Amino acid sequence: MDDPILDAPSPSCYAPLAPGFTRVFELEPGNVSDPIVGRLVPQAIDGEPYEAVSYVWGDTRNRRDITIDDVTLSVTSSLHSALTAFRHRPNQDGSQPPPVRRLWADAVCINQADWPERTSQVELMGRIFAGARRVLAWLGWEEGEDGRRHTLDAIRFIHDFMEDPEAGLRDARILLHHHDVAAPDVRLALLSEEDRSRFEEQARKWEAVKTFFEIEYFHRAWIVQELGLAREATMFAALRPAAGESGNDDHLIELDFVDWPLIGRFVKFLDYNGASLVTHLNLLSWVAHHVWMVWETAADGSPACDFLTGMHWTRILGVTDARDRVFALLGHPLAVLDGHPVIRPDYTVTRGLVYTKLAANFIHATGSLDVVNLVDHEHDPSLSPRNWDPHDEARMPSWVPDWHSINRTTPMPYPIAACTPHDPSILISGSTSGAAATPLPTLHLTGWLTDTITTVSPGTMQTTDFPITNLTRELAKTNPFWLDHLWTMLAPPASTPATETLAVLDSLSLALALGVREKGQPASTVGPGQPLAEHRASFAAYVMEYHALVTTATPDVASDGVQLPERSVFERLPEEARGEMRRRARGASGGVFLECMTWPSMCRVVYKTRGGLVGMGARVTRVGDLVCRVRGSGVLMVLRRVEGGDGGRGGELEGRGDGDDGVISCAFVGPTVVPARMKEGVVDGAVFGEAAGRFRVV
């Protein structure tokens, strides 16, 4: 469903469909170079068995003709290759011909020139893929023998790896610790012959895995429900047939295949246990893990991922039509509100209006701001109210997630709620009709002003900067010695008591890892969580490992432009605090903390407030932004006053608002965590002395 054929007459092979019906393509057998020929058979979704084809549309300008009921239809080359690979081959001995293969493929089985039909079939897509006997996922042709070798190496390696994933990860860590971007040959020369051979073997295998997950198929939004709803899903690839083969040949296409559930378990293990390896090797396996997470279930069999979080995980995937970011997930079991679909497909309005309606529907139905806290602005939000513009696809309020923007962060599933997660008094003023020149809807909230941000870390945190390996690699990073430079910004005055300094350091560690998971608290959905004692031990070990690295660095080995820290975090702590960090680190590994904080911290910033609080928030966070506790939100929010809204007060927190009605007008910046202000059982900011506030979010 990636590419509608606009303004084209309906081919005569398409007759109107009855409600609840679809079409199945009965594909005739054929040799490699034979034309694709078949017929369309209307049927109820739960009628005769069929298989559904999941594929990438590909370049819509690269098209091939097929014949359906004696009518010529143009399809993308990608679908043509899938049909070529999946159809049965004629029996070469002249015996009884093999049967037709009954397939469902969107570009063939849906009349793409009929918008009403296309819309109605989109609503049925979930049922179509759930009802298929099997889903055939076409990864595409393997380009030459080298391409096939990469595919086969990756499939075999994944099978072997999952026999003992812990051992496989241990073997792979040689790549993390002995590969230098700046001087790879020099580093490898230091290894023994046995270790060098092991390094080269691991590098070859993981290069095949890297190539495998770069296949375009894994980066397409529609595969999410196509794979997730399948009773059985198998992925296929094949060596591209040689050009010029005759139609009478007996060439057999050898299909290489792997089951989707095995791929899902593999990518899940990597993300939760080998995040540093994934980022070091620049593996895109995490994209496939996002697809897998959407369909995970809890112990009781219920969906573990809600619809909105599924939307967030899949926004990295590609679509031709931005509205399909919503419509491609309508088969999810939680895509309902009060017994009705979260939204109905509508291809006549902008993506901004579709996304706004979706957000408003969830807020109205749940009294929760969960959807708002999935906003991830690529650029600073607008600071002024605006009107609807049907010609501006991206026009939407600051509090609505633009699912079509590039997602670089995880959700913030902090285990301790900052405020009551539901508030029936949340109000949305304005209309979601999208009529030209009418105001965008505004969100009206109540809560408390926690503090004002005074310092923000430069740039965003990059996952490749987090691992601690060796000095050469450290100097080649985008942000070398990032933790030490971060502490320079956050460290309290030298005269601060050791206990208070440790409290600031603990707040930083909890923010970076999105807290800990004690017994009875929800498991993390973004990485392995730890109890507090284990968290403190692994973070202390991480600090000590950075200290050991810093002490080996001298100014004369620094690369151009690399600013070495004057002292490590450990050296800047009071003596009593250093003793406590040594005690905590005994027997612990900093690698455990690294795996816990890699995905939560990715592409976020750390900040400090006027009152000395440490928090982590969205990449667009700025000095002067307000940290707020808002009813209906389980995490804190960062809001930014609209231009002129602070009356010249420079962002000072006061009990009254900006206007005569005491309301602060602002734009939504993003969710945030401030561990020192997120305590078990405390959902009232007055407990911390925070001033009550009312907020008008444009």
Side-chain angles (χ1 to χ4, degrees), residues 256-274:
D256 303 316
F257 61 91
V258 61
D259 289 337
W260 165 241
L262 177 68
I263 297 296
R265 293 193 297 273
F266 174 73
V267 295
K268 177 181 179 179
F269 179 85
L270 282 187
D271 262 15
Y272 285 170
N273 300 277

Side-chain angles (χ1 to χ4, degrees), residues 101-177:
R101 191 156 195 180
R102 305 188 79 247
L103 301 175
W104 189 94
D106 55 3
V108 173
C109 297
I110 299 175
N111 184 356
Q112 299 293 321
D114 185 333
W115 277 102
E117 177 180 306
R118 183 173 186 265
T119 299
S120 66
Q121 290 287 290
V122 165
E123 293 188 77
L124 296 175
M125 288 279 279
R127 290 179 55 195
I128 290 170
F129 276 88
R133 181 173 64 82
R134 179 167 64 152
V135 170
L136 310 173
W138 176 242
L139 302 182
W141 294 127
E142 300 155 337
E143 297 296 336
E145 292 294 341
D146 286 344
R148 188 170 196 212
R149 176 176 54 80
H150 273 299
T151 301
L152 289 174
D153 283 351
I155 291 173
R156 289 175 185 143
F157 175 71
I158 292 170
H159 271 282
D160 293 343
F161 184 95
M162 293 308 293
E163 291 291 325
D164 188 350
E166 294 288 351
L169 196 56
R170 285 195 301 272
D171 291 342
R173 291 196 186 281
I174 193 172
L175 301 176
L176 183 63
H177 293 287

Side-chain angles (χ1 to χ4, degrees), residues 288-357:
H289 184 214
H290 283 197
V291 177
W292 181 258
M293 283 191 292
V294 173
W295 302 98
E296 286 195 293
T297 56
D300 62 0
S302 62
C305 179
D306 63 85
F307 179 81
L308 290 175
T309 304
M311 287 284 299
H312 185 83
W313 288 133
T314 58
R315 65 193 287 180
I316 191 65
L317 301 174
V319 292
T320 301
D321 191 317
R323 294 163 292 196
D324 282 338
R325 296 202 176 278
V326 179
F327 305 153
L329 271 184
L330 291 181
H332 191 276
L334 297 183
V336 291
L337 288 170
D338 298 330
H340 301 285
V342 292
I343 199 168
R344 304 301 293 267
D346 186 350
Y347 290 98
T348 66
V349 297
T350 65
R351 82 167 193 258
L353 184 55
V354 171
Y355 299 168
T356 301
K357 286 183 176 181

Side-chain angles (χ1 to χ4, degrees), residues 46 89 105 170 173 254 263 302 312 357 374 382 407 425 446 480 543 562 582 624 649-650 658 665:
D46 58 356
R89 303 288 168 233
R170 285 195 301 272
R173 291 196 186 281
E254 293 187 53
I263 297 296
S302 62
H312 185 83
K357 286 183 176 181
L374 292 173
S382 172
N407 169 35
S425 69
T446 60
V543 170
V562 175
R582 288 193 193 95
R649 293 193 296 273
D658 298 319
S665 294

Side-chain angles (χ1 to χ4, degrees), residues 448-451 613 628-629 636 677 684-692:
W448 295 264
L449 295 164
T450 300
D451 211 344
L613 298 172
C628 304
R629 186 188 309 271
L636 300 170
R677 290 292 176 89
D684 188 332
V687 173
F688 296 105
E690 298 170 359

